[in-house]
Amino acid sequence: MRTVGLAFFLSVLAVHAQSTTMVAALPSAPAPSVDFGQQATASAPANSESQTTLTRMQAEELALKNNPRVSVAQLLALAQHQVVREARAADLPTANGAITAEKALDASRISAGTLTASRLLTHAGAGGSLTQLITDFGRTHNLVLTQKLQEQAAKANSLATKEEIVLAADQAFYDALTAQAVLQVARQTVNARQATQTQVNQMTQNKLKSTLDLSFANVNLSQSQLLQLDAQNNADATMATLDTVLGLDHEVTYQLVDDASQNPEPPPDFRPLIQTALTQRPDLQSLTFGEQSAQKFARAQWDQRLPSITAAGTVGTIPVRVDQYYSSNWWGGIGVNMNIPIFNGFLYGAEAKEARYRAQADAERTRDLRDRIVRDVRTAWLQANTAYQRIGVTAELLKQANMALQLAQTRYQLGLSSIVELSQAELQQTSAAIDNTNAQYEYRLSLATLDYQIGTTP
């Protein structure tokens, strides 16, 4: 029995030696692995030399410069400053001038129409009038403070818009960078499976493999080509999104360059981040200013029920006149008027209550945002920590997948395994390479999101 077993073993070695000799002349299938340090630039098309390179910092600067949302927020803040001047105008004097000439049937009277001075006289004169608010017991002052706080809210909202655009630019940049890196993985996968298909085809022609192996190799190649098509479409779509965030109205394909040298560790604790966010988040500051503005406006609406005191004066000359009816060639006068609201159908009371309720609603809206900020900061911190841990796990997974693929290729070339085992190893390696690529950029995007949540100024 031992002699028969030894003879059988030697015959198997002879067959394997013959198969190895036939395969040695064929090119080995390269494993589709991607070095992360080269992903940022290696994923560009063949004509990348003519493309404009773009880093993340440059993308943020272009977005802040060209995105229309930034301009809209800045213009609204400038407009609100003019509203402050409009409200302050009520505290300043109002002067008007007039020049009037009239030809009439002297001493005739208007006998129909509104109740006015009815006597008509031929004359020509010029003069002016001046009115000045003395006090309205704080109403105008509160209206001015209302608009000043609205101006501060508009400025804070402008800063919040900038931070949103920076985050959108970072997200679009990393999405496009990830898509280009995945496209590179897909291209390398096609090359590797094309080499495998070529090997299997030649081995099938030499009667070393069956047509079933060739069919599996063709299916794997087609699947990798479909992966490349999807990756190319995703790369084009993410680049279009990046162009939109950058404020471009035309297509520009950039060669994206990752300017991050290494991945820093996430913050060790989220509690200081929450305090920082509650202090410097511009959207929270905007709502806080809006709440204070609503409170001042509610006070101003209540002040409508108080009296207002106004001074008025007028002076002028009448060079052309009928002496019979004019005792002098000039006129002038000054006076003080107090306007006292008595009853207007409960209008002022209803407006004061409406403003007070709206101020209370703004206070609750501010409290709601504070609660959401606490939640968002903690969630972003957890996502950053998870993404950081995924980097090491996916790197080890890719290492093991590359090793498994090399072993599967060797076993298949020696005839020790089937095409199914090789196909499974290729699929796992491709999946591991894509997961590793996604993990790198997802962590950097999670750090950008965390910076946004704590209100880091762009």
Side-chain angles (χ1 to χ4, degrees):
M1 293 295 294
R2 292 182 179 178
T3 304
V4 174
L6 180 59
F8 176 76
F9 179 72
L10 292 176
S11 63
V12 171
L13 288 180
V15 172
H16 285 175
Q18 182 181 4
S19 301
T20 306
T21 304
M22 295 296 296
V23 175
L26 302 178
S28 59
S33 60
V34 179
D35 183 8
F36 180 74
Q38 300 176 353
Q39 285 177 357
T41 57
S43 59
N47 59 346
S48 60
E49 295 181 356
S50 61
Q51 292 181 345
T52 303
T53 59
L54 183 70
T55 64
R56 181 179 63 88
M57 297 298 295
Q58 292 173 340
E60 293 176 356
E61 294 174 357
L62 285 176
L64 291 175
K65 179 181 178 181
N66 299 328
N67 195 287
R69 287 183 55 194
V70 177
S71 301
V72 169
Q74 292 175 343
L75 291 173
L76 289 178
L78 293 175
Q80 185 59 39
H81 177 69
Q82 300 305 315
V83 177
V84 175
R85 298 183 60 189
E86 295 171 9
R88 189 184 293 117
D91 267 339
L92 302 177
T94 301
N96 294 296
I99 300 176
T100 304
E102 180 181 345
K103 175 61 178 177
L105 179 61
D106 292 340
S108 61
R109 296 180 180 274
I110 299 175
S111 301
T114 58
L115 296 178
T116 60
S118 60
R119 178 175 291 186
L120 298 177
L121 300 172
T122 299
H123 69 280
S129 61
L130 179 69
T131 58
Q132 172 64 57
L133 176 65
I134 297 177
T135 180
D136 58 359
F137 298 94
R139 170 172 165 77
T140 300
H141 177 69
N142 285 323
L143 289 176
V144 172
L145 290 180
T146 297
Q147 300 306 327
K148 283 184 175 180
L149 289 169
Q150 286 290 346
E151 180 185 9
Q152 294 179 357
K155 291 180 179 179
N157 185 65
S158 176
L159 181 58
T161 302
K162 290 183 178 180
E163 292 190 359
E164 291 175 0
I165 294 302
V166 168
L167 177 62
D170 290 345
Q171 183 173 2
F173 179 85
Y174 283 126
D175 286 347
L177 200 59
T178 302
Q180 290 186 355
V182 171
L183 178 59
Q184 181 187 2
V185 173
R187 288 171 176 166
Q188 293 182 353
T189 302
V190 170
N191 294 335
R193 295 189 181 180
Q194 180 65 61
T196 301
Q197 191 273 345
T198 302
Q199 289 180 359
V200 175
N201 185 37
Q202 294 183 8
M203 294 171 71
T204 302
Q205 293 177 0
N206 294 330
K207 306 302 181 179
L208 299 177
K209 295 294 180 181
S210 66
T211 56
L212 178 61
D213 292 75
L214 180 60
S215 298
F216 271 103
N218 290 332
V219 169
N220 293 339
L221 177 59
S222 298
Q223 288 178 342
S224 65
Q225 291 172 344
L226 288 176
L227 174 64
Q228 182 178 355
L229 289 176
D230 292 339
Q232 182 65 60
N233 177 74
N234 190 36
D236 295 339
T238 53
M239 186 59 64
T241 302
L242 179 60
D243 290 340
T244 301
V245 175
L246 297 182
L248 304 177
D249 57 356
H250 56 281
E251 179 183 1
V252 177
T253 301
Y254 292 99
Q255 180 182 354
L256 303 182
V257 178
D258 188 9
D259 52 359
S261 58
Q262 58 183 359
N263 294 320
E265 294 184 2
D269 189 11
F270 64 88
R271 294 174 182 83
L273 302 179
I274 292 177
Q275 297 301 322
T276 302
L278 294 178
T279 302
Q280 63 184 26
R281 274 283 291 265
D283 51 347
L284 180 59
Q285 294 175 2
S286 178
L287 281 185
T288 302
F289 287 133
E291 174 190 350
Q292 297 173 359
S293 174
Q295 293 173 353
K296 292 296 181 181
F297 183 70
R299 178 64 185 179
Q301 293 295 80
W302 188 89
D303 290 341
Q304 289 184 112
R305 297 179 291 183
L306 301 178
S308 61
I309 302 175
T310 305
T314 181
V315 65
T317 181
I318 317 170
V320 178
R321 63 190 183 280
V322 179
D323 293 336
Q324 178 181 356
Y325 301 103
Y326 289 90
S327 60
S328 176
N329 64 345
W330 69 278
W331 81 88
I334 189 172
V336 176
N337 178 68
M338 175 181 289
N339 183 36
I340 304 175
I342 298 177
F343 181 75
N344 62 351
F346 306 105
L347 175 63
Y348 291 161
E351 291 178 343
K353 289 182 179 179
E354 175 195 358
R356 186 181 65 194
Y357 292 146
R358 293 187 181 278
Q360 293 175 355
D362 288 342
E364 291 300 307
R365 191 178 293 112
T366 302
R367 186 169 68 90
D368 177 66
L369 180 58
R370 289 175 62 90
D371 294 341
R372 287 189 284 115
I373 286 175
V374 173
R375 178 203 64 190
D376 293 343
V377 170
R378 185 173 182 180
T379 302
W381 179 80
L382 290 173
Q383 290 176 347
N385 279 270
T386 302
Y388 184 73
Q389 295 171 5
R390 282 178 58 87
I391 294 177
V393 174
T394 55
E396 180 64 22
L397 176 62
L398 178 59
K399 178 182 177 181
Q400 296 299 327
N402 288 334
M403 184 182 302
L405 178 58
Q406 293 176 0
L407 292 176
Q409 288 174 335
T410 302
R411 284 173 54 84
Y412 181 74
Q413 291 174 355
L414 294 176
L416 300 178
S417 64
S418 66
I419 189 67
V420 176
E421 179 181 327
L422 177 61
S423 301
Q424 185 68 23
E426 289 178 341
L427 179 61
Q428 292 176 350
Q429 197 280 337
T430 302
S431 177
I434 293 177
D435 289 342
N436 181 250
T437 300
N438 290 335
Q440 299 283 348
Y441 294 127
E442 283 178 0
Y443 175 64
R444 296 181 185 180
L445 179 58
S446 66
L447 290 181
T449 303
L450 184 60
D451 289 340
Y452 167 77
Q453 294 297 344
I454 65 178
T456 301
T457 303

